C-alpha cells in the first residue's frame, strides 16, 4: 500500500470516512471477501453505537448512517460469494 491508500485497520476503525456508503465496500476489488465483511461488521457496530448515543442524548461523531443500508450491503456481499 502507498501512503495515499488507507490501511485496513483505518477502514475498519472508521469505515464511513473511507467509503461513501456501505455498498461501495462490496464493490472494492482490492479487498478480500473477509476484509469486506469485517469492514461492514465494524460499520454495523458504529450504527449501533450511534443509535445508543442518540437515545441517551449524547452527540454522535461521524454519523454512520442507516444500519439497514449496512445490512443490505452485507446481504449483497453474501450473494456475490454465493452464500
Amino acid at each position: 500500500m502507498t501512503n495515499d491508500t488507507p490501511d485496513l485497520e483505518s477502514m475498519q476503525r472508521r469505515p464511513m470516512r473511507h467509503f461513501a456508503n456501505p455498498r461501495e465496500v462490496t464493490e472494492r476489488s482490492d479487498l478480500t471477501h473477509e476484509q469486506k465483511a469485517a469492514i461492514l461488521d465494524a460499520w454495523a457496530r458504529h450504527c449501533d453505537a450511534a443509535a445508543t448515543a442518540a437515545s441517551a442524548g449524547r452527540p454522535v461523531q461521524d454519523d454512520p448512517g442507516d444500519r439497514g443500508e449496512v445490512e443490505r450491503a452485507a446481504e449483497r456481499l453474501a450473494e456475490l460469494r454465493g452464500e
Side-chain angles (χ1 to χ4, degrees), residues 24-36:
E24 187 178 302
V25 176
T26 68
E27 298 168 350
R28 289 283 296 265
S29 61
D30 60 330
L31 298 171
T32 68
H33 176 84
E34 291 76 18
Q35 290 169 328
K36 292 174 186 180

Side-chain angles (χ1 to χ4, degrees), residues 1-82:
M1 284 189 173
T2 67
N3 289 340
D4 295 337
T5 304
D7 63 292
L8 183 61
E9 183 180 327
S10 176
M11 285 188 260
Q12 288 177 321
R13 193 172 36 254
R14 292 275 188 242
M16 51 280 190
R17 290 186 180 178
H18 299 282
F19 302 95
N21 56 64
R23 186 174 177 109
E24 187 178 302
V25 176
T26 68
E27 298 168 350
R28 289 283 296 265
S29 61
D30 60 330
L31 298 171
T32 68
H33 176 84
E34 291 76 18
Q35 290 169 328
K36 292 174 186 180
I39 291 167
L40 290 173
D41 185 55
W43 203 323
R45 287 193 310 273
H46 282 286
C47 289
D48 294 343
T52 300
S55 68
R58 294 190 315 265
V60 175
Q61 183 180 9
D62 293 330
D63 182 9
D66 177 38
R67 192 179 204 294
E69 192 175 351
V70 178
E71 291 170 356
R72 287 187 292 280
E75 290 169 4
R76 172 77 175 135
L77 184 61
E79 289 171 6
L80 291 172
R81 188 154 195 201

